[in-house]
Coordinates of all heavy atoms in Angstrom, one line a residue:
S1 N 138.4 -59.4 196.9 CA 137.8 -60.7 197.1 C 138.7 -61.8 196.6 O 139.4 -61.6 195.6 CB 136.4 -60.8 196.5 OG 136.5 -60.8 195.1
Y2 N 138.6 -63.0 197.1 CA 139.4 -64.1 196.7 C 138.8 -64.8 195.5 O 137.7 -65.3 195.5 CB 139.5 -65.1 197.9 CG 140.5 -66.2 197.7 CD1 141.8 -66.0 197.8 CD2 140.1 -67.5 197.4 CE1 142.8 -67.0 197.6 CE2 141.0 -68.5 197.2 CZ 142.3 -68.2 197.3 OH 143.3 -69.2 197.1
P3 N 139.6 -64.9 194.4 CA 139.0 -65.6 193.2 C 138.8 -67.0 193.4 O 139.4 -67.7 194.3 CB 140.2 -65.4 192.2 CG 141.0 -64.3 192.7 CD 140.9 -64.3 194.2
T4 N 137.9 -67.6 192.7 CA 137.6 -69.0 192.8 C 138.5 -69.8 191.8 O 138.0 -70.1 190.7 CB 136.1 -69.3 192.5 OG1 135.8 -68.8 191.2 CG2 135.2 -68.7 193.6
A5 N 139.7 -70.0 192.2 CA 140.6 -70.8 191.3 C 140.9 -72.1 192.0 O 141.6 -72.1 193.1 CB 141.9 -69.9 191.1
T6 N 140.4 -73.2 191.5 CA 140.7 -74.5 192.1 C 141.8 -75.2 191.4 O 141.8 -75.3 190.2 CB 139.4 -75.3 192.0 OG1 138.3 -74.7 192.7 CG2 139.6 -76.7 192.7
P7 N 142.8 -75.6 192.1 CA 144.0 -76.3 191.5 C 143.6 -77.7 191.1 O 142.7 -78.3 191.6 CB 145.0 -76.3 192.6 CG 144.3 -76.3 193.9 CD 143.0 -75.5 193.6
V8 N 144.3 -78.2 190.0 CA 144.1 -79.5 189.6 C 145.5 -80.2 189.6 O 146.5 -79.6 189.1 CB 143.6 -79.6 188.1 CG1 143.6 -81.0 187.6 CG2 142.2 -78.9 188.1
L9 N 145.6 -81.3 190.3 CA 146.9 -82.0 190.3 C 147.0 -82.9 189.1 O 146.1 -83.8 188.9 CB 147.0 -82.9 191.6 CG 148.3 -83.7 191.7 CD1 149.5 -82.7 191.8 CD2 148.2 -84.6 193.0
Q10 N 148.0 -82.8 188.3 CA 148.3 -83.6 187.2 C 149.4 -84.6 187.5 O 150.4 -84.2 188.0 CB 148.7 -82.8 186.0 CG 147.6 -81.8 185.5 CD 148.0 -81.0 184.4 OE1 149.2 -80.6 184.3 NE2 147.1 -80.6 183.5
V11 N 149.1 -85.9 187.2 CA 150.1 -86.9 187.4 C 150.2 -87.7 186.0 O 149.3 -87.7 185.2 CB 149.8 -87.9 188.5 CG1 149.7 -87.2 189.8 CG2 148.5 -88.6 188.2
P12 N 151.3 -88.4 185.8 CA 151.5 -89.2 184.6 C 150.3 -90.2 184.4 O 149.9 -90.8 185.4 CB 152.8 -89.9 184.7 CG 153.5 -89.1 185.7 CD 152.5 -88.5 186.7
V13 N 149.9 -90.5 183.2 CA 148.8 -91.4 183.0 C 149.3 -92.8 182.6 O 148.6 -93.8 182.6 CB 147.8 -90.9 181.9 CG1 147.1 -89.7 182.4 CG2 148.5 -90.7 180.6
Q14 N 150.6 -92.9 182.3 CA 151.2 -94.2 181.9 C 151.4 -95.1 183.2 O 151.4 -94.6 184.3 CB 152.5 -94.0 181.1 CG 153.7 -93.7 182.0 CD 153.9 -92.2 182.2 OE1 153.1 -91.4 181.9 NE2 155.1 -91.9 182.7
L15 N 151.6 -96.3 182.9 CA 151.9 -97.3 184.0 C 153.2 -96.9 184.6 O 154.2 -96.6 184.0 CB 152.0 -98.7 183.4 CG 152.3 -99.8 184.3 CD1 151.1 -100.1 185.3 CD2 152.7 -101.1 183.6
L16 N 153.2 -96.8 186.0 CA 154.4 -96.4 186.7 C 155.0 -97.6 187.3 O 154.4 -98.4 188.0 CB 154.0 -95.4 187.8 CG 153.5 -94.0 187.3 CD1 152.9 -93.2 188.4 CD2 154.6 -93.3 186.6
L17 N 156.3 -97.8 187.1 CA 157.0 -98.9 187.6 C 158.1 -98.4 188.6 O 158.5 -97.3 188.5 CB 157.7 -99.7 186.5 CG 156.8 -100.2 185.4 CD1 157.6 -100.8 184.2 CD2 155.8 -101.2 185.9
E18 N 158.5 -99.3 189.5 CA 159.6 -99.0 190.4 C 160.8 -98.5 189.6 O 161.1 -99.1 188.5 CB 160.0 -100.2 191.3 CG 159.1 -100.4 192.4 CD 159.7 -101.5 193.4 OE1 159.8 -102.6 193.0 OE2 160.1 -101.0 194.5
G19 N 161.5 -97.5 190.0 CA 162.6 -96.9 189.3 C 162.3 -95.8 188.3 O 163.1 -95.1 187.8
D20 N 161.0 -95.7 188.0 CA 160.5 -94.6 187.1 C 160.6 -93.2 187.8 O 160.8 -93.2 189.0 CB 159.1 -94.8 186.6 CG 158.9 -95.8 185.6 OD1 159.9 -96.3 185.0 OD2 157.7 -96.2 185.3
R21 N 160.5 -92.2 187.0 CA 160.5 -90.8 187.5 C 159.0 -90.3 187.3 O 158.4 -90.6 186.3 CB 161.4 -89.9 186.8 CG 161.3 -88.5 187.1 CD 162.3 -87.7 186.2 NE 162.0 -86.3 186.3 CZ 162.6 -85.4 185.6 NH1 163.5 -85.7 184.7 NH2 162.3 -84.1 185.8
M22 N 158.5 -89.6 188.3 CA 157.2 -89.1 188.2 C 157.2 -87.6 188.5 O 157.8 -87.2 189.5 CB 156.2 -89.8 189.2 CG 154.8 -89.2 189.2 SD 153.7 -90.1 190.3 CE 154.2 -89.7 191.9
T23 N 156.5 -86.8 187.7 CA 156.4 -85.3 188.0 C 155.0 -85.0 188.3 O 154.1 -85.3 187.6 CB 156.9 -84.5 186.7 OG1 158.2 -84.8 186.4 CG2 156.8 -83.0 187.0
L24 N 154.8 -84.4 189.5 CA 153.5 -83.9 189.9 C 153.4 -82.4 189.5 O 154.4 -81.7 189.8 CB 153.4 -84.0 191.5 CG 153.6 -85.4 192.1 CD1 153.6 -85.3 193.6 CD2 152.5 -86.3 191.6
R25 N 152.3 -82.0 188.9 CA 152.1 -80.6 188.6 C 150.8 -80.1 189.1 O 149.8 -80.8 189.0 CB 152.1 -80.5 187.0 CG 153.4 -80.7 186.4 CD 153.4 -80.4 184.9 NE 154.7 -80.5 184.3 CZ 155.2 -81.6 183.9 NH1 154.5 -82.7 184.0 NH2 156.4 -81.7 183.4
C26 N 150.9 -79.0 189.8 CA 149.7 -78.4 190.4 C 149.3 -77.2 189.5 O 150.0 -76.2 189.3 CB 150.0 -77.9 191.8 SG 148.5 -77.4 192.7
R27 N 148.2 -77.3 188.8 CA 147.8 -76.4 187.8 C 146.5 -75.6 188.2 O 145.6 -76.2 188.9 CB 147.4 -77.0 186.5 CG 148.5 -77.8 185.9 CD 149.4 -77.0 185.0 NE 150.3 -77.9 184.3 CZ 151.5 -77.5 183.8 NH1 151.9 -76.2 184.0 NH2 152.3 -78.3 183.2
V28 N 146.5 -74.3 187.9 CA 145.3 -73.5 188.2 C 144.9 -72.9 186.8 O 145.7 -72.4 186.1 CB 145.7 -72.3 189.2 CG1 144.5 -71.5 189.4 CG2 146.3 -72.9 190.4
R29 N 143.6 -73.0 186.6 CA 143.1 -72.5 185.3 C 143.3 -71.0 185.1 O 143.6 -70.5 184.0 CB 141.6 -72.8 185.1 CG 141.4 -74.3 185.0 CD 139.9 -74.6 184.9 NE 139.7 -76.0 185.1 CZ 139.0 -76.8 184.2 NH1 138.4 -76.2 183.2 NH2 138.9 -78.1 184.4
Q30 N 143.1 -70.2 186.1 CA 143.2 -68.8 186.0 C 144.7 -68.5 186.2 O 145.5 -69.2 186.8 CB 142.5 -68.1 187.1 CG 141.0 -68.3 187.0 CD 140.3 -67.7 188.2 OE1 140.8 -67.5 189.3 NE2 139.0 -67.5 188.1
K31 N 145.1 -67.4 185.6 CA 146.5 -66.9 185.7 C 146.7 -66.4 187.1 O 146.1 -65.4 187.4 CB 146.8 -65.9 184.6 CG 148.3 -65.5 184.6 CD 148.6 -64.6 183.4 CE 150.1 -64.4 183.4 NZ 150.5 -63.6 182.2
V32 N 147.5 -67.0 187.8 CA 147.8 -66.6 189.2 C 149.3 -66.4 189.4 O 150.1 -67.3 189.0 CB 147.3 -67.7 190.2 CG1 147.6 -67.3 191.6 CG2 145.9 -68.0 190.0
L33 N 149.7 -65.3 189.9 CA 151.1 -64.9 190.1 C 151.5 -65.2 191.5 O 150.7 -65.2 192.4 CB 151.3 -63.5 189.7 CG 150.9 -63.1 188.3 CD1 151.1 -61.6 188.1 CD2 151.7 -63.9 187.2
D34 N 152.8 -65.4 191.7 CA 153.5 -65.5 193.0 C 152.8 -66.6 193.8 O 152.3 -66.4 194.9 CB 153.4 -64.2 193.8 CG 154.2 -63.1 193.2 OD1 155.2 -63.4 192.6 OD2 153.8 -62.0 193.3
V35 N 152.7 -67.8 193.2 CA 152.0 -68.9 193.8 C 153.0 -69.8 194.6 O 154.1 -70.1 194.2 CB 151.4 -69.8 192.8 CG1 150.8 -71.1 193.3 CG2 150.2 -69.0 192.1
L36 N 152.6 -70.2 195.8 CA 153.3 -71.2 196.6 C 152.4 -72.5 196.6 O 151.2 -72.4 196.8 CB 153.5 -70.8 198.0 CG 154.5 -69.6 198.2 CD1 154.6 -69.3 199.7 CD2 155.9 -70.1 197.7
V37 N 153.1 -73.6 196.4 CA 152.3 -74.9 196.3 C 152.8 -75.9 197.3 O 154.1 -76.0 197.5 CB 152.5 -75.5 194.9 CG1 151.8 -76.9 194.8 CG2 151.8 -74.6 193.8
H38 N 152.0 -76.5 198.0 CA 152.3 -77.7 198.9 C 151.8 -78.9 198.3 O 150.6 -79.0 197.9 CB 151.7 -77.5 200.3 CG 152.4 -76.5 201.2 ND1 153.0 -76.9 202.3 CD2 152.7 -75.2 201.0 CE1 153.6 -75.8 202.9 NE2 153.4 -74.8 202.1
F39 N 152.6 -80.0 198.2 CA 152.2 -81.3 197.7 C 152.0 -82.2 198.9 O 152.7 -82.1 199.9 CB 153.2 -81.9 196.8 CG 153.2 -81.2 195.4 CD1 154.1 -80.2 195.2 CD2 152.3 -81.5 194.4 CE1 154.2 -79.5 194.0 CE2 152.3 -80.8 193.2 CZ 153.3 -79.9 193.0
Y40 N 151.0 -83.1 198.8 CA 150.7 -84.0 199.9 C 150.6 -85.4 199.4 O 150.2 -85.7 198.3 CB 149.3 -83.7 200.6 CG 149.3 -82.3 201.3 CD1 149.2 -81.2 200.6 CD2 149.6 -82.3 202.6 CE1 149.2 -79.9 201.2 CE2 149.6 -81.1 203.3 CZ 149.4 -79.9 202.6 OH 149.5 -78.7 203.2
H41 N 151.2 -86.4 200.2 CA 151.1 -87.8 199.9 C 150.4 -88.5 201.1 O 150.9 -88.4 202.2 CB 152.5 -88.4 199.7 CG 152.5 -89.8 199.5 ND1 153.3 -90.7 200.2 CD2 151.8 -90.6 198.6 CE1 153.1 -91.9 199.8 NE2 152.2 -91.9 198.8
N42 N 149.2 -89.0 200.8 CA 148.4 -89.7 201.9 C 148.2 -88.7 203.1 O 148.3 -89.1 204.2 CB 149.1 -91.0 202.3 CG 149.0 -92.0 201.2 OD1 148.1 -92.1 200.4 ND2 150.0 -92.9 201.2
G43 N 148.0 -87.4 202.8 CA 147.7 -86.5 203.8 C 148.9 -85.8 204.5 O 148.8 -84.9 205.3
T44 N 150.1 -86.3 204.1 CA 151.3 -85.8 204.7 C 152.0 -84.8 203.8 O 152.2 -85.1 202.6 CB 152.3 -86.9 205.1 OG1 151.7 -87.8 206.0 CG2 153.6 -86.4 205.7
A45 N 152.4 -83.6 204.3 CA 153.0 -82.6 203.4 C 154.3 -83.1 203.0 O 155.1 -83.7 203.7 CB 153.1 -81.3 204.2
M46 N 154.6 -82.8 201.7 CA 155.9 -83.1 201.1 C 156.8 -81.9 200.9 O 157.8 -81.9 200.3 CB 155.7 -83.8 199.7 CG 154.8 -85.0 199.7 SD 154.3 -85.6 198.1 CE 155.9 -86.0 197.4
G47 N 156.3 -80.8 201.4 CA 157.1 -79.5 201.3 C 156.5 -78.6 200.3 O 155.6 -79.0 199.6
W48 N 157.0 -77.4 200.2 CA 156.4 -76.4 199.3 C 157.3 -76.2 198.1 O 158.5 -76.4 198.2 CB 156.2 -75.0 199.9 CG 157.4 -74.3 200.4 CD1 158.0 -74.4 201.6 CD2 158.2 -73.4 199.6 NE1 159.1 -73.6 201.6 CE2 159.2 -73.0 200.4 CE3 158.0 -72.9 198.3 CZ2 160.2 -72.1 200.0 CZ3 159.0 -72.0 197.9 CH2 160.0 -71.6 198.7
H49 N 156.7 -75.9 197.0 CA 157.4 -75.8 195.7 C 156.7 -74.7 194.9 O 155.7 -74.1 195.3 CB 157.4 -77.1 194.9 CG 157.9 -78.3 195.8 ND1 159.2 -78.6 195.9 CD2 157.3 -79.1 196.6 CE1 159.4 -79.6 196.7 NE2 158.2 -79.9 197.2
L50 N 157.2 -74.4 193.7 CA 156.6 -73.4 192.9 C 155.3 -74.0 192.2 O 154.2 -73.6 192.4 CB 157.6 -72.8 191.9 CG 158.6 -72.0 192.6 CD1 159.6 -71.4 191.6 CD2 158.0 -70.9 193.4
A51 N 155.5 -74.9 191.2 CA 154.3 -75.5 190.6 C 154.4 -77.0 190.3 O 153.4 -77.6 189.9 CB 154.0 -74.7 189.3
E52 N 155.6 -77.5 190.4 CA 155.7 -79.0 190.2 C 156.8 -79.6 191.1 O 157.6 -78.9 191.6 CB 156.0 -79.2 188.7 CG 157.3 -78.7 188.2 CD 157.4 -78.9 186.7 OE1 156.5 -78.6 185.9 OE2 158.5 -79.4 186.3
K53 N 156.7 -80.9 191.2 CA 157.6 -81.6 192.1 C 158.0 -82.9 191.3 O 157.1 -83.6 190.8 CB 157.0 -82.0 193.4 CG 157.9 -82.9 194.3 CD 157.5 -82.8 195.7 CE 158.4 -83.7 196.5 NZ 159.8 -83.3 196.5
D54 N 159.3 -83.2 191.3 CA 159.7 -84.5 190.7 C 160.0 -85.5 191.8 O 160.6 -85.2 192.8 CB 161.1 -84.3 189.9 CG 160.9 -83.5 188.6 OD1 159.8 -83.7 188.0 OD2 161.7 -82.7 188.3
L55 N 159.5 -86.7 191.5 CA 159.9 -87.9 192.4 C 160.7 -88.8 191.6 O 160.3 -89.3 190.6 CB 158.6 -88.6 192.9 CG 157.7 -87.8 193.8 CD1 156.5 -88.7 194.1 CD2 158.4 -87.5 195.1
H56 N 162.0 -88.9 191.9 CA 162.9 -89.8 191.2 C 163.0 -91.2 191.8 O 162.8 -91.3 193.0 CB 164.3 -89.1 191.2 CG 164.4 -87.8 190.7 ND1 164.4 -87.5 189.3 CD2 164.3 -86.6 191.3 CE1 164.4 -86.2 189.1 NE2 164.4 -85.6 190.3
I57 N 163.2 -92.1 190.9 CA 163.4 -93.5 191.4 C 162.2 -94.0 192.3 O 162.3 -94.1 193.5 CB 164.7 -93.8 192.0 CG1 165.9 -93.2 191.2 CG2 165.0 -95.3 192.3 CD1 167.2 -93.3 191.8
L58 N 161.0 -94.1 191.6 CA 159.8 -94.5 192.4 C 160.0 -95.8 193.1 O 160.6 -96.7 192.5 CB 158.6 -94.5 191.4 CG 158.1 -93.2 190.9 CD1 157.0 -93.4 189.9 CD2 157.6 -92.4 192.1
Q59 N 159.4 -95.9 194.2 CA 159.4 -97.2 195.0 C 157.9 -97.5 195.2 O 157.0 -96.7 195.1 CB 160.1 -97.0 196.3 CG 161.6 -96.6 196.2 CD 162.4 -97.7 195.4 OE1 162.3 -98.9 195.7 NE2 163.2 -97.2 194.5
L60 N 157.6 -98.7 195.7 CA 156.2 -99.2 195.9 C 155.6 -98.3 196.9 O 154.4 -98.0 196.8 CB 156.2 -100.6 196.4 CG 156.5 -101.7 195.3 CD1 156.5 -103.1 195.9 CD2 155.6 -101.6 194.1
H61 N 156.3 -97.8 197.9 CA 155.7 -96.9 199.0 C 155.3 -95.6 198.4 O 154.6 -94.8 199.2 CB 156.6 -96.8 200.2 CG 157.8 -96.0 199.9 ND1 159.0 -96.5 199.5 CD2 158.0 -94.6 200.1 CE1 159.9 -95.5 199.4 NE2 159.3 -94.4 199.7
H62 N 155.6 -95.2 197.2 CA 155.2 -93.9 196.6 C 153.7 -94.1 196.1 O 153.1 -93.1 195.8 CB 156.1 -93.5 195.5 CG 157.4 -93.0 195.9 ND1 158.6 -93.6 195.5 CD2 157.7 -92.0 196.8 CE1 159.6 -93.0 196.1 NE2 159.1 -92.0 196.9
S63 N 153.2 -95.3 196.1 CA 151.7 -95.4 195.8 C 150.9 -94.7 196.8 O 151.3 -94.6 198.0 CB 151.4 -96.9 195.7 OG 152.0 -97.6 194.7
G64 N 149.7 -94.3 196.4 CA 148.8 -93.6 197.4 C 148.1 -92.5 196.8 O 148.0 -92.4 195.6
H65 N 147.6 -91.6 197.6 CA 146.8 -90.5 197.2 C 147.6 -89.2 197.3 O 148.2 -89.0 198.4 CB 145.5 -90.3 198.1 CG 144.5 -91.5 197.8 ND1 144.6 -92.6 198.6 CD2 143.6 -91.6 196.9 CE1 143.6 -93.4 198.1 NE2 143.0 -92.9 197.1
Y66 N 147.6 -88.4 196.2 CA 148.4 -87.2 196.2 C 147.4 -86.0 196.0 O 146.3 -86.2 195.3 CB 149.4 -87.2 195.0 CG 150.5 -88.1 195.3 CD1 150.5 -89.5 195.0 CD2 151.7 -87.6 195.8 CE1 151.5 -90.3 195.2 CE2 152.8 -88.4 196.0 CZ 152.7 -89.8 195.7 OH 153.8 -90.6 195.9
S67 N 147.7 -84.9 196.5 CA 146.9 -83.7 196.3 C 147.9 -82.5 196.4 O 149.1 -82.6 196.8 CB 145.8 -83.5 197.3 OG 146.3 -83.4 198.6
C68 N 147.4 -81.3 196.0 CA 148.2 -80.1 196.2 C 147.3 -79.0 196.7 O 146.1 -79.0 196.5 CB 148.9 -79.7 194.9 SG 147.8 -79.3 193.5
K69 N 147.9 -78.1 197.4 CA 147.3 -76.8 197.9 C 148.1 -75.7 197.4 O 149.3 -75.8 197.3 CB 147.2 -76.8 199.4 CG 146.3 -77.8 200.0 CD 146.3 -77.6 201.5 CE 145.4 -78.6 202.2 NZ 145.4 -78.4 203.7
F70 N 147.4 -74.5 197.1 CA 148.2 -73.4 196.7 C 147.6 -72.1 197.3 O 146.5 -72.1 197.8 CB 148.2 -73.2 195.2 CG 147.0 -72.5 194.6 CD1 147.2 -71.1 194.3 CD2 145.8 -73.0 194.5 CE1 146.1 -70.4 193.8 CE2 144.7 -72.3 194.0 CZ 144.9 -71.0 193.7
H71 N 148.4 -71.1 197.3 CA 147.9 -69.8 197.6 C 148.9 -68.8 196.9 O 150.0 -69.1 196.6 CB 147.8 -69.5 199.1 CG 149.0 -69.0 199.8 ND1 149.4 -67.7 199.9 CD2 149.9 -69.7 200.5 CE1 150.6 -67.6 200.6 NE2 150.9 -68.9 201.0
S72 N 148.3 -67.6 196.6 CA 149.1 -66.6 196.0 C 149.4 -65.5 197.1 O 148.6 -65.2 197.9 CB 148.3 -65.9 194.9 OG 149.0 -64.8 194.4
R73 N 150.6 -65.0 197.0 CA 151.0 -64.0 198.0 C 150.3 -62.7 197.7 O 150.3 -61.8 198.5 CB 152.5 -63.8 197.9 CG 153.3 -65.0 198.6 CD 154.7 -64.8 198.4 NE 155.2 -65.4 197.2 CZ 156.4 -65.8 197.0 NH1 157.3 -65.7 197.9 NH2 156.7 -66.4 195.8
R74 N 149.6 -62.6 196.6 CA 148.9 -61.3 196.2 C 147.5 -61.4 196.8 O 146.8 -60.4 196.8 CB 148.8 -61.1 194.7 CG 150.2 -60.9 194.1 CD 150.1 -60.7 192.7 NE 151.4 -60.4 192.1 CZ 151.7 -59.6 191.2 NH1 150.7 -58.9 190.6 NH2 152.9 -59.4 190.8
W75 N 147.0 -62.5 197.3 CA 145.7 -62.6 197.8 C 145.9 -62.9 199.3 O 146.9 -63.2 199.8 CB 144.9 -63.8 197.2 CG 144.7 -63.7 195.8 CD1 144.7 -62.6 195.0 CD2 144.5 -64.8 194.9 NE1 144.4 -62.9 193.7 CE2 144.3 -64.2 193.6 CE3 144.5 -66.2 195.0 CZ2 144.1 -65.0 192.5 CZ3 144.3 -66.9 193.9 CH2 144.1 -66.4 192.6
P76 N 144.7 -62.9 200.1 CA 144.8 -63.3 201.5 C 145.3 -64.7 201.6 O 145.2 -65.5 200.6 CB 143.4 -63.2 201.9 CG 142.7 -62.3 201.0 CD 143.4 -62.5 199.7
S77 N 146.0 -65.0 202.7 CA 146.6 -66.4 202.8 C 145.5 -67.5 203.0 O 145.4 -68.0 204.1 CB 147.6 -66.4 204.0 OG 148.7 -65.6 203.7
V78 N 144.8 -67.7 202.0 CA 143.8 -68.8 202.0 C 144.3 -69.9 201.1 O 144.7 -69.7 199.9 CB 142.4 -68.3 201.5 CG1 141.4 -69.5 201.4 CG2 141.9 -67.2 202.4
W79 N 144.4 -71.1 201.6 CA 144.9 -72.2 200.9 C 143.8 -72.9 200.2 O 142.8 -73.2 200.8 CB 145.7 -73.2 201.7 CG 147.0 -72.7 202.2 CD1 147.2 -71.9 203.3 CD2 148.3 -72.8 201.5 NE1 148.6 -71.6 203.4 CE2 149.2 -72.1 202.3 CE3 148.7 -73.5 200.4 CZ2 150.6 -72.1 201.9 CZ3 150.0 -73.5 200.0 CH2 150.9 -72.8 200.8
V80 N 143.9 -73.3 198.9 CA 142.9 -74.0 198.1 C 143.5 -75.3 197.7 O 144.6 -75.4 197.2 CB 142.5 -73.2 196.9 CG1 141.4 -73.9 196.1 CG2 142.0 -71.8 197.3
E81 N 142.7 -76.4 198.0 CA 143.2 -77.7 197.8 C 142.6 -78.4 196.5 O 141.4 -78.2 196.2 CB 142.9 -78.6 199.0 CG 143.6 -80.0 198.9 CD 143.5 -80.8 200.2 OE1 142.8 -80.3 201.1 OE2 144.1 -81.8 200.3
S82 N 143.4 -79.2 195.8 CA 142.9 -80.0 194.7 C 142.2 -81.2 195.2 O 142.3 -81.6 196.3 CB 144.1 -80.4 193.8 OG 144.9 -81.4 194.5
A83 N 141.5 -81.9 194.3 CA 140.9 -83.2 194.6 C 142.1 -84.2 194.6 O 143.1 -84.0 193.9 CB 139.9 -83.6 193.5
P84 N 142.0 -85.2 195.5 CA 143.1 -86.2 195.5 C 143.2 -87.0 194.3 O 142.1 -87.3 193.6 CB 142.7 -87.1 196.7 CG 141.2 -86.9 196.9 CD 140.9 -85.5 196.4
V85 N 144.4 -87.5 193.9 CA 144.6 -88.3 192.8 C 145.3 -89.6 193.3 O 146.3 -89.5 194.0 CB 145.5 -87.6 191.7 CG1 145.8 -88.5 190.6 CG2 144.8 -86.3 191.2
S86 N 144.8 -90.7 192.8 CA 145.4 -92.0 193.2 C 146.5 -92.4 192.3 O 146.4 -92.3 191.1 CB 144.3 -93.1 193.2 OG 144.9 -94.3 193.7
V87 N 147.7 -92.8 192.8 CA 148.8 -93.2 192.1 C 149.2 -94.6 192.6 O 149.3 -94.9 193.8 CB 150.0 -92.2 192.3 CG1 151.3 -92.8 191.7 CG2 149.7 -90.9 191.7
T88 N 149.5 -95.5 191.6 CA 149.9 -96.9 191.9 C 151.3 -97.1 191.2 O 151.4 -96.9 190.0 CB 148.9 -97.9 191.5 OG1 147.7 -97.6 192.1 CG2 149.4 -99.3 191.8
V89 N 152.2 -97.5 192.0 CA 153.5 -97.9 191.5 C 153.6 -99.4 191.5 O 153.3 -100.1 192.5 CB 154.7 -97.3 192.3 CG1 156.0 -97.8 191.8 CG2 154.6 -95.8 192.4
H90 N 153.9 -100.0 190.3 CA 154.0 -101.5 190.2 C 155.4 -102.0 190.2 O 156.3 -101.3 189.9 CB 153.4 -101.9 188.8 CG 151.9 -101.4 188.7 ND1 150.9 -102.2 189.1 CD2 151.4 -100.3 188.2 CE1 149.8 -101.6 188.9 NE2 150.0 -100.4 188.3

């Protein structure tokens, strides 16, 4: 059976300015192995990664809603999505 592991997207809590670097982290409370993660910005996929993604030299257009989805290759291919997080670049 598929465990109920809901990912949580973590973003920096400090004020984000143009030119800053931001790291997105997709965390799962349960220990999950062989995880693939997709990050989304305003509903558009940003590609797959292991557990985090760096955005270098932030621009105003990086503002918006971010989320992540994950699945483990050890479970059936069911993607589980985090709640969206709002990010504002000043």
Side-chain angles (χ1 to χ4, degrees):
S1 67
Y2 188 76
T4 56
T6 301
V8 174
L9 180 64
Q10 296 178 327
V11 298
V13 293
Q14 77 269 14
L15 180 69
L16 295 169
L17 302 174
E18 282 191 291
D20 284 350
R21 173 182 167 187
M22 177 175 72
T23 299
L24 303 172
R25 289 186 177 86
C26 193
R27 302 272 190 205
V28 180
R29 292 177 190 233
Q30 298 173 338
K31 187 173 183 177
V32 181
L33 302 175
D34 295 326
V35 171
L36 290 178
V37 174
H38 282 243
F39 289 96
Y40 293 83
H41 175 234
N42 294 329
T44 301
M46 300 169 65
W48 66 271
H49 307 273
L50 293 179
E52 60 185 51
K53 174 164 181 58
D54 287 325
L55 292 176
H56 301 280
I57 310 175
L58 288 176
Q59 302 296 317
L60 291 176
H61 71 268
H62 288 122
S63 294
H65 293 91
Y66 288 83
S67 63
C68 64
K69 290 183 182 180
F70 89 98
H71 84 86
S72 172
R73 289 177 269 203
R74 294 182 181 218
W75 299 335
S77 289
V78 175
W79 288 87
V80 182
E81 186 170 8
S82 71
V85 176
S86 181
V87 170
T88 303
V89 179
H90 300 274

